Amino acid sequence: MYEQFLFGGRAVTSVDHGGRMILPAFVTEVLERRGSSRTIWLGVHERDSCLHAYDQSYHRTLFAEIERRRLSDEAAGRTAADHHSRLRRAFGFVEQSPIADDGAIILPPLLRRKAMIKRAALIVGVGGSFEIWSPRVAREATDPLVRELADLRGPATSPEEGMLAA
């Protein structure tokens, strides 16, 4: 399952006006090792202003994690509102994008707007999944490590590396 092969690394890639971007090798290699279908799930991140991306195997794990959190919330006497919000974000506010033979995906317009991604994207591996950031937004993130990753500007998968303000 997904736990055997985790996403680790970072890269900057260009995004064209239609939302097309090439996934970096550290992503495509993991997907290949996992035997994943040629589809990526994209959704808004639970806390940060970026996209959360993963394959089908992680999608099932995401549901299990949300259910674990629901049980914990119930045991603590919390209302179900947070649980339902997590479910909507994880399963309602997501879109699938097929992966082309060259590793390209299309970032859907609504999700691009939510994450403020324009001409470049910072891809960050986070274990079972990966994040897609606007480099500009990443430079302003509350997490100092995300800010540092945005400032490293490489390795880039395109000449857009110098256009990180996009």
Side-chain angles (χ1 to χ4, degrees):
M1 189 80 72
Y2 86 88
E3 298 92 348
Q4 293 175 352
F5 305 105
L6 302 176
F7 296 104
R10 60 154 170 73
V12 175
T13 188
S14 62
V15 179
D16 74 14
H17 68 282
R20 184 177 189 278
M21 62 175 261
I22 305 288
L23 293 171
F26 81 85
V27 170
T28 57
E29 289 168 4
V30 168
L31 293 171
E32 213 171 271
R33 288 185 186 127
R34 287 182 180 180
S36 297
S37 69
R38 303 285 302 168
T39 302
I40 287 292
W41 294 76
L42 299 160
V44 293
H45 193 276
E46 182 174 0
R47 194 195 80 171
D48 293 315
S49 297
C50 66
L51 300 180
H52 186 208
Y54 43 89
D55 64 355
Q56 180 66 35
S57 65
Y58 188 80
H59 194 70
R60 290 185 291 273
T61 300
L62 187 58
F63 178 77
E65 173 62 17
I66 289 171
E67 184 63 12
R68 184 197 64 75
R69 290 174 70 184
R70 179 190 65 82
L71 295 172
S72 176
D73 286 351
E74 282 181 4
R78 295 186 195 101
T79 68
D82 286 343
H83 171 70
H84 293 295
S85 180
R86 282 191 289 268
L87 285 172
R88 281 188 291 274
R89 184 176 35 260
F91 299 103
F93 209 99
V94 295
E95 295 194 40
Q96 295 180 43
S97 181
I99 304 169
D101 289 341
D102 65 354
I105 63 170
I106 303 294
L107 295 176
L110 176 62
L111 294 176
R112 281 181 71 196
R113 277 195 306 276
K114 290 292 283 181
M116 297 178 269
I117 295 170
K118 295 184 180 167
R119 296 180 304 184
L122 169 66
I123 317 308
V124 179
V126 291
S129 61
F130 58 98
E131 298 171 341
I132 305 174
W133 290 81
S134 156
R136 182 184 53 79
V137 171
R139 272 198 230 88
E140 299 168 2
T142 57
D143 184 339
L145 292 175
V146 173
R147 291 194 308 264
E148 187 173 352
L149 287 173
D151 286 339
L152 291 174
R153 299 182 183 198
T157 57
S158 77
E160 292 268 342
E161 181 179 2
M163 301 177 125
L164 291 180

